[in-house]
Amino acid sequence: MKRLSAPPTPPPFGTDAVNVLRYILFAKTPMSAEGNGNGSSYARVILQQCLSARLMVQPATESEDAEYVQIGRGLIVYVCFLKGASETMIDKMVKSVLEARLSEPTDGGRLVSILDLPGDVMIIPQATLGGSLKGKVMQYHGNVQKDDGLRLYTQFVEKCEKTVAIANVKTGQNSIVRYGTYGNRQVFSTETNGPYTHYIEF
Amino acid sequence: MKRLSAPPTPPPFGTDAVNVLRYILFAKTPMSAEGNGNGSSYARVILQQCLSARLMVQPATESEDAEYVQIGRGLIVYVCFLKGASETMIDKMVKSVLEARLSEPTDGGRLVSILDLPGDVMIIPQATLGGSLKGKVMQYHGNVQKDDGLRLYTQFVEKCEKTVAIANVKTGQNSIVRYGTYGNRQVFSTETNGPYTHYIEF
């Protein structure tokens, strides 16, 4: 959970073992002093299986209808970047998401990756995932700045597209990647045969 | 994130400051020695807003059709209990979930809780949420035993039902709580105007 991270700040102690122990016992994590308030993870991803999914990518205007994208059987990927996230994480994130063996093949055998299924991918930017509940209010102090978030999201989408395109050549299938518009309201519907929701921190 | 927990095991050191520092720098969390492999949280919840949702609670048999429950505008609550979870957590969890101000009132004003919206609640048991990705394989070693999970899930559902019933008396509305069958495949579909996905650990 703490990969790609700079070493944490040493605790505020000299050689006083009591202080050290106090630090260990009561510090939220060893990195809390300089973390982003989210346990020093830099991205959060939620994965769900679907039979179909549909997402608005452009709201309606006075002159035009709303635009939607949709996928068939596949994987829904909600993604949120937190403070400290960097592009060096993207390859590993995409690899984890697309190679994790979480999809049920039609013949009911062992779980396979979405690339091996093969299936479609829908990526949904979801800044709310970075929230941290304080009392009754959700706070988003840990979220990455919006322009950094857009840059990382774009890289994540592009890497997913490339990876699926390469897999398509191998499988001879034509799996698609669709994705939401960063910063938009993600008007969304899905049908599942069991979402098998998974949560991954990077 | 580490409430309701026994104090962590002190690190394996005598008075050797180098060992202490090594422990602090490289231990995943101060509690990793005795944790459940999930950063010592005891439950994971994902919240999503919906316009409607539909869930299978009884699969079809030879003689009978599948049974479904559904809700209108409201909150979807995916819940998973991890090792170390206990019933003393339930009240706090339900309070957090039902009182968190995450729902958009129809008039577009400040976010309110699902109780204040008021809206429906759909609870979905989701053991997969306890998973931890190791390489390409998801492991569920941190999950609570199945019978404990069923007991906690049942208590969680009952407390939600009671809390919504009390709120209904106050608001004069008739918001409903619907929930999935523990251990079943959660065949599920939803329509949202933006899921505003949130993740909470207890």
Side-chain angles (χ1 to χ4, degrees):
Chain A
M1 300 283 185
K2 295 190 184 56
R3 301 164 212 120
L4 300 164
S5 59
T9 306
F13 71 98
T15 55
D16 182 348
V18 174
N19 275 342
V20 176
L21 195 57
R22 186 176 292 142
Y23 178 85
I24 293 166
L25 289 172
F26 300 111
K28 273 196 144 187
T29 78
M31 297 182 70
S32 60
E34 60 167 10
N36 54 19
N38 285 293
S40 292
S41 64
Y42 300 120
R44 293 176 164 185
V45 168
I46 288 176
L47 303 178
Q48 292 190 314
Q49 307 296 314
C50 73
L51 296 174
S52 67
R54 183 172 188 258
L55 179 68
M56 191 176 77
V57 291
Q58 181 68 48
T61 62
E62 279 189 20
S63 55
E64 297 195 43
D65 289 343
E67 275 176 47
Y68 291 84
V69 291
Q70 52 190 46
I71 63 167
R73 172 77 199 281
L75 185 69
I76 302 162
V77 184
Y78 295 96
V79 61
C80 174
F81 292 97
L82 304 173
K83 275 179 189 148
S86 75
E87 60 194 61
T88 58
M89 304 165 58
I90 301 294
D91 282 6
K92 184 180 167 43
M93 284 177 69
V94 171
K95 198 174 156 70
S96 292
V97 164
L98 298 183
E99 294 187 2
R101 297 191 188 122
L102 301 175
S103 301
E104 215 178 3
T106 320
D107 66 8
R110 283 177 59 186
L111 296 180
V112 298
S113 75
I114 194 66
L115 296 176
D116 288 337
L117 188 59
D120 295 341
V121 177
M122 180 171 279
I123 305 164
I124 305 180
Q126 196 77 166
T128 50
L129 250 189
S132 185
L133 190 64
K134 305 290 177 200
K136 299 180 180 185
V137 177
M138 198 57 79
Q139 295 181 342
Y140 303 95
H141 305 318
N143 280 48
V144 80
Q145 294 291 322
K146 219 171 165 183
D147 48 351
D148 288 333
L150 172 58
R151 184 174 48 81
L152 293 164
Y153 175 70
T154 306
Q155 290 171 347
F156 181 82
V157 166
E158 285 174 355
K159 182 72 186 180
C160 282
E161 287 182 317
K162 273 183 204 163
T163 309
V164 169
I166 291 168
N168 279 341
V169 172
K170 278 189 202 160
T171 59
Q173 300 292 317
N174 195 18
S175 300
I176 58 175
V177 176
R178 295 292 180 265
Y179 52 92
T181 308
Y182 189 85
N184 264 20
R185 173 187 284 267
Q186 306 297 322
V187 175
F188 173 70
S189 60
T190 184
E191 220 168 304
T192 82
N193 197 22
Y196 294 111
T197 313
H198 286 95
Y199 172 78
I200 310 178
E201 280 182 355
F202 296 91
Chain B
M1 300 285 187
K2 296 190 180 57
R3 301 165 211 121
L4 299 165
S5 60
T9 307
F13 72 97
T15 55
D16 182 348
V18 174
N19 274 342
V20 175
L21 195 58
R22 185 176 292 143
Y23 177 85
I24 294 167
L25 289 172
F26 300 109
K28 273 195 145 189
T29 80
M31 297 182 71
S32 61
E34 61 168 8
N36 54 19
N38 284 294
S40 294
S41 64
Y42 300 121
R44 293 177 165 185
V45 168
I46 287 175
L47 303 178
Q48 291 189 316
Q49 308 294 315
C50 73
L51 298 174
S52 67
R54 183 172 188 258
L55 179 68
M56 191 176 76
V57 290
Q58 181 69 49
T61 62
E62 278 189 20
S63 55
E64 297 196 45
D65 289 344
E67 275 176 49
Y68 291 84
V69 291
Q70 52 190 48
I71 63 169
R73 172 78 199 281
L75 186 69
I76 302 162
V77 183
Y78 294 95
V79 60
C80 174
F81 291 97
L82 304 173
K83 275 181 189 147
S86 76
E87 59 193 64
T88 58
M89 304 166 55
I90 301 294
D91 282 6
K92 184 182 166 41
M93 285 177 69
V94 171
K95 197 174 157 70
S96 293
V97 165
L98 298 183
E99 295 188 3
R101 297 191 188 122
L102 301 175
S103 301
E104 214 178 6
T106 319
D107 65 10
R110 282 179 59 188
L111 297 180
V112 298
S113 74
I114 193 68
L115 296 176
D116 289 337
L117 189 59
D120 296 340
V121 177
M122 179 169 280
I123 307 164
I124 306 180
Q126 195 78 166
T128 49
L129 252 190
S132 187
L133 189 64
K134 305 289 178 201
K136 301 180 179 184
V137 176
M138 198 56 81
Q139 294 182 342
Y140 304 95
H141 304 318
N143 280 47
V144 78
Q145 294 290 320
K146 218 172 165 182
D147 48 352
D148 288 333
L150 173 58
R151 183 174 49 80
L152 293 163
Y153 175 69
T154 306
Q155 289 170 349
F156 181 81
V157 166
E158 286 174 355
K159 183 72 186 178
C160 283
E161 287 182 316
K162 273 183 204 164
T163 309
V164 169
I166 291 167
N168 279 342
V169 172
K170 280 190 201 160
T171 60
Q173 300 293 315
N174 195 18
S175 299
I176 58 175
V177 176
R178 294 292 179 266
Y179 52 92
T181 308
Y182 189 86
N184 266 20
R185 172 188 286 266
Q186 307 296 322
V187 175
F188 172 70
S189 60
T190 184
E191 221 168 304
T192 83
N193 196 21
Y196 294 111
T197 313
H198 286 95
Y199 173 77
I200 311 177
E201 280 182 353
F202 295 93

